Amino acid sequence: MAGRVAVQVDEALLRSLTPAVIGILVRRGADFAAAEDAVQGSLLEALRVWPDAPPRDPKPWLVKVAWRKFIDATRADASRRRREERVEAEPSPGAGGATDDTLQLYFLCAHPSLTPASAVALTLRAVGGLTTRQIAQAYLVPEATMAQRISRAKRTVADVRFDQNGDVATVVRVLYLVFNEGYSGDVDLAAEAIRLTRQLTTLTDHPEVAGLLALMLLHHARRAARTRPDGSLVPLVDQDRSRWDTALIAEGVDVLQTALARDRLGEFQAQAAIAALHADAPRAEETDWVQIVEWYDELVRLTDSPIARLNRAVAVGEADGPQAGLRALVGLDTALPRYTAVSAYLHERSGDLATAARLYVDAAAAASNLAERDHLTRQAARLNAALQG
């Protein structure tokens, strides 16, 4: 008789089931850290066993294996003898309350007591189902460093009640941080953030979650046009718009319009509206900068963010001229990220090439990544060449 043909494990399915399985274990009495460890063990077991013996129903299989791993770990810990008596009997692996559990897990991983870096790491591990190695590679840090970060985060939330109401705004901000990390290693964090935000939209009826999803989709739609084959940056004005993903743009606009119709405006909806206006322009010169300035006014009203004011100055410079843009910079902290680059751009637009070239050099020296530094250096070289010519 022929042997069973091995099948490829659907790792995306495993990641999608992770938060619900953790939630079930916590409901049964496991503390968060122990539940998360047990579920990670069940995922590794699935990767080992499923290719030759795939289960009929993956979720109960994971619950059963994770629960047994939790019991084994509890038995091995002498300080938990009394808990062993409470968890000895194995309940049926039903999925009761899975949706609520997953939402509470989002809240727990974005708990205010965690630093942003710890909240992001814990979210990717517990909700995203990524391994410590994958997260470490994505953040370009040693695996041991990331393991310590995740362990500290789990200890911090160990005593937080799983049924406490969480703050959607904090969860949204953590997912936004994940998205902004983009891509490195073998994990595409931008795509992972979109996946998790899609999941969150099914769990909670909140317009800012929809606003964040729309913002992510609209930004992600431009990804292929953002860099050249050599890795150098392509500014928005120079991007080949035929390379933008029109399906993602259409989805993002649809999600945004639905959120805005609820008349509960938030900062991520405002940011998404700005991104939608950029996406709507067939050519850079057709961008509706006047309306973009109006949306930045809303964003500043909502957040009073210096970064929003800085970006607004760029929009004002496009809508009303570079001198107006420079006036909009007055009063902002010159140490703000990208302040010097914005000032250089506006000075160039105003015709002051010497000042712009000097500022581009200064901006390049302060750039946070190599691609941005190289782009700003090229801008300075271009202007210096023009001045010498």
Side-chain angles (χ1 to χ4, degrees):
M1 180 180 294
R4 176 179 291 185
V5 177
V7 298
Q8 186 172 359
V9 177
D10 186 346
E11 293 189 24
L13 174 64
L14 286 178
R15 290 200 301 271
S16 69
L17 292 174
T18 296
V21 177
I22 293 176
I24 290 171
L25 265 64
V26 172
R27 291 291 183 194
R28 291 180 178 180
D31 63 72
F32 171 75
E36 200 276 333
D37 287 341
V39 172
Q40 287 293 323
S42 73
L43 296 178
L44 294 175
E45 188 74 4
L47 291 172
R48 185 182 69 82
V49 173
W50 286 11
D52 296 317
R56 184 175 304 172
D57 193 343
K59 183 176 175 181
W61 189 98
L62 289 171
V63 171
K64 183 176 182 179
V65 173
W67 186 251
R68 286 179 176 172
K69 288 184 178 296
F70 167 66
I71 290 176
D72 289 345
T74 301
R75 285 173 174 162
D77 190 343
S79 66
R80 298 181 181 179
R81 294 297 184 187
R82 286 180 295 181
R83 177 184 291 175
E84 180 181 356
E85 297 174 0
R86 187 171 71 249
V87 302
E88 182 65 37
E90 180 179 319
S92 62
T99 298
D100 290 340
D101 288 345
T102 302
L103 181 57
Q104 290 297 333
L105 201 57
Y106 271 97
F107 292 146
L108 186 65
C109 292
H111 195 268
S113 61
L114 295 171
T115 65
S118 294
V120 165
L122 195 57
T123 298
L124 289 171
R125 171 76 183 248
V127 183
L130 301 181
T131 65
T132 302
R133 180 186 62 80
Q134 287 174 315
I135 302 170
Q137 287 182 341
Y139 281 88
L140 304 178
V141 299
E143 184 173 351
T145 300
M146 184 56 67
Q148 291 175 351
R149 183 180 300 174
I150 292 172
S151 294
R152 286 196 300 268
K154 289 195 289 187
R155 287 196 299 270
T156 299
V157 300
D159 296 327
V160 176
R161 289 172 51 198
F162 195 66
D163 58 352
Q164 287 179 324
N165 290 329
D167 180 14
V168 172
T170 304
V171 176
V172 166
R173 195 158 300 283
V174 167
L175 292 176
Y176 185 56
L177 291 173
V178 174
F179 180 80
N180 283 337
E181 289 297 330
Y183 175 84
S184 58
D186 63 353
V187 177
D188 185 338
L189 290 180
E192 182 65 15
I194 291 173
R195 183 183 74 84
L196 293 176
T197 306
R198 284 189 193 280
Q199 182 185 59
L200 188 60
T201 60
T202 68
L203 300 176
T204 181
D205 183 24
H206 197 291
E208 272 294 81
V209 176
L212 177 62
L213 178 59
L215 178 63
M216 289 178 173
L217 293 171
L218 290 163
H219 278 310
H220 207 55
R222 303 200 298 260
R223 179 171 180 166
R226 269 196 204 105
T227 56
R228 299 181 180 88
D230 63 0
S232 60
L233 294 178
V234 181
L236 179 61
V237 66
D238 296 326
Q239 288 178 14
D240 179 359
R241 300 186 178 217
S242 69
R243 300 185 66 197
W244 289 1
D245 189 326
T246 54
L248 283 183
I249 290 173
E251 183 186 0
V253 170
D254 183 63
V255 171
L256 173 62
Q257 289 176 338
T258 301
L260 290 175
R262 299 183 60 182
D263 198 24
R264 290 171 54 195
L265 184 64
E267 62 175 293
F268 290 106
Q269 294 170 73
Q271 288 189 55
I274 293 167
L277 285 167
H278 283 297
D280 188 53
R283 298 182 302 163
E285 53 267 32
E286 297 178 56
T287 304
D288 189 346
W289 286 106
V290 172
Q291 194 172 351
I292 287 176
V293 171
E294 292 174 355
W295 275 110
Y296 270 120
D297 289 340
E298 289 287 349
L299 187 59
V300 169
R301 180 183 63 81
L302 289 164
T303 66
D304 196 27
S305 163
I307 298 298
R309 292 181 183 276
L310 180 64
N311 291 331
R312 178 185 177 276
V314 176
V316 169
E318 299 291 350
D320 301 325
Q323 292 299 332
L326 288 168
R327 288 194 295 272
L329 286 179
V330 174
L332 290 177
D333 186 352
T334 58
L336 280 172
R338 293 185 60 249
Y339 176 96
T340 307
V342 168
S343 181
Y345 173 74
L346 291 171
H347 275 94
E348 179 185 355
R349 287 281 316 283
S350 72
D352 186 354
L353 302 189
T355 299
R358 175 178 56 79
L359 289 172
Y360 276 130
V361 171
D362 293 344
S368 60
N369 62 72
L370 182 61
E372 183 179 357
R373 186 188 70 190
D374 288 348
H375 170 71
L376 293 168
T377 300
R378 282 193 295 270
Q379 296 295 89
R382 175 179 56 81
L383 293 186
N384 282 323
L387 287 167
Q388 293 171 5

